[in-house]
C-alpha cells in the first residue's frame, strides 16, 4: 500500500518495473493518490504550495525546481493511470489495473485538518460526516467531493 507516494517518484514506469520484481504472481499493489475530480481540481492547486497539480503534464517528465529537487505533480496519477485508459504498462506487461475508485471521504479528510492543518470540527461532527458518507443514498454525493482515489494493480503470470 502506498499513500500519496507515486506522485513523488520521478519515473513511475520504473516503479512499475520494481513492482513486477517484488510482487508474486497474483500479488497486488494499492495506491492512494490525489484525485482528479472537479472538487479536487479546485482544492489541490492551493492546498500544498510545494506541489503542483497539472492534469495535462507528461507523467514521465517531472519538473525540477531551482534547487534541483523534484516538484511532485499531484495530478500525475491521473495522467499515468487514467488519461490513456491504461490497462497495462509498457515496462511491466504483467501488471494490470484491476480497480480504481474515488474515496468519498474528502470532506471529512479536509475537516480533520488533513496532514498539515488544524482540525476544523469536533470529533462528533467528523463521526456524523462519516455516517453520512456511508449512507447508500448519499454515497454518490460524497464521491463528488473526493480528493483521493484508489488504484489497484495486480501482477498476473503471463507464462502460466
Amino acid at each position: 500500500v502506498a499513500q500519496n507516494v507515486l506522485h513523488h517518484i520521478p519515473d513511475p514506469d520504473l516503479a512499475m518495473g520494481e513492482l513486477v520484481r517484488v510482487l508474486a504472481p497474483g500479488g497486488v499493489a494499492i495506491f492512494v493518490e490525489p484525485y482528479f475530480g472537479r472538487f479536487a481540481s479546485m482544492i489541490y492547486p492551493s492546498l500544498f504550495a510545494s506541489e503542483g497539480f497539472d492534469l495535462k503534464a507528461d507523467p514521465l517528465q517531472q519538473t525540477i525546481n531551482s534547487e534541483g529537487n523534484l516538484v511532485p505533480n499531484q495530478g500525475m496519477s491521473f495522467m499515468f493511470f487514467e488519461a490513456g485508459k491504461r490497462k497495462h504498462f509498457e515496462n511491466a506487461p504483467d501488471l494490470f489495473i484491476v480497480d480504481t475508485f474515488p474515496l468519498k471521504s474528502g470532506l471529512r479528510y479536509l475537516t480533520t485538518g488533513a496532514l498539515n492543518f488544524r482540525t476544523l470540527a469536533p470529533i462528533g461532527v467528523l463521526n456524523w460526516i462519516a455516517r453520512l458518507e456511508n449512507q447508500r443514498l448519499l454515497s454518490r454525493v460524497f464521491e463528488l467531493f473526493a480528493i483521493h482515489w484508489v488504484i489497484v494493480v495486480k501482477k498476473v503470470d503471463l507464462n502460466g
Side-chain angles (χ1 to χ4, degrees):
V1 175
Q3 182 172 353
N4 290 319
V5 171
L6 195 62
H7 68 276
H8 291 269
I9 296 175
D11 189 341
D13 267 339
L14 186 62
M16 295 303 115
E18 276 298 292
L19 281 178
V20 169
R21 188 181 70 77
V22 300
L23 286 176
V28 297
I30 301 169
F31 298 97
V32 178
E33 285 291 314
Y35 191 49
F36 51 86
R38 182 169 291 166
F39 181 70
S41 295
M42 290 186 306
I43 295 291
Y44 275 120
S46 58
L47 194 59
F48 300 105
S50 62
E51 297 185 9
F53 186 82
D54 185 355
L55 295 177
K56 296 180 180 167
D58 180 344
L60 302 179
Q61 297 295 318
Q62 298 288 338
T63 303
I64 304 297
N65 66 17
S66 59
E67 289 87 39
N69 298 320
L70 173 72
V71 177
N73 176 10
Q74 296 174 100
M76 189 276 291
S77 65
F78 168 77
M79 298 306 297
F80 189 69
F81 290 113
E82 183 72 15
K85 296 295 181 187
R86 181 178 238 172
K87 294 299 174 199
H88 70 280
F89 305 91
E90 206 169 296
N91 294 338
D94 38 2
L95 284 183
F96 290 85
I97 298 171
V98 294
D99 200 7
T100 63
F101 55 91
L103 291 175
K104 57 189 174 189
S105 58
L107 287 178
R108 183 166 33 119
Y109 179 76
L110 292 173
T111 306
T112 66
L115 295 176
N116 300 333
F117 309 102
R118 66 181 197 81
T119 303
L120 300 175
I123 193 70
V125 171
L126 298 174
N127 290 336
W128 180 74
I129 293 172
R131 283 195 300 275
L132 287 176
E133 290 167 350
N134 292 314
Q135 294 293 319
R136 191 178 216 176
L137 294 174
L138 295 175
S139 182
R140 288 283 198 211
V141 172
F142 279 96
E143 281 183 15
L144 295 173
F145 296 99
I147 58 171
H148 292 98
W149 67 315
V150 175
I151 306 102
V152 181
V153 177
K154 183 175 185 177
K155 180 179 177 180
V156 299
D157 186 359
L158 296 176
N159 299 322

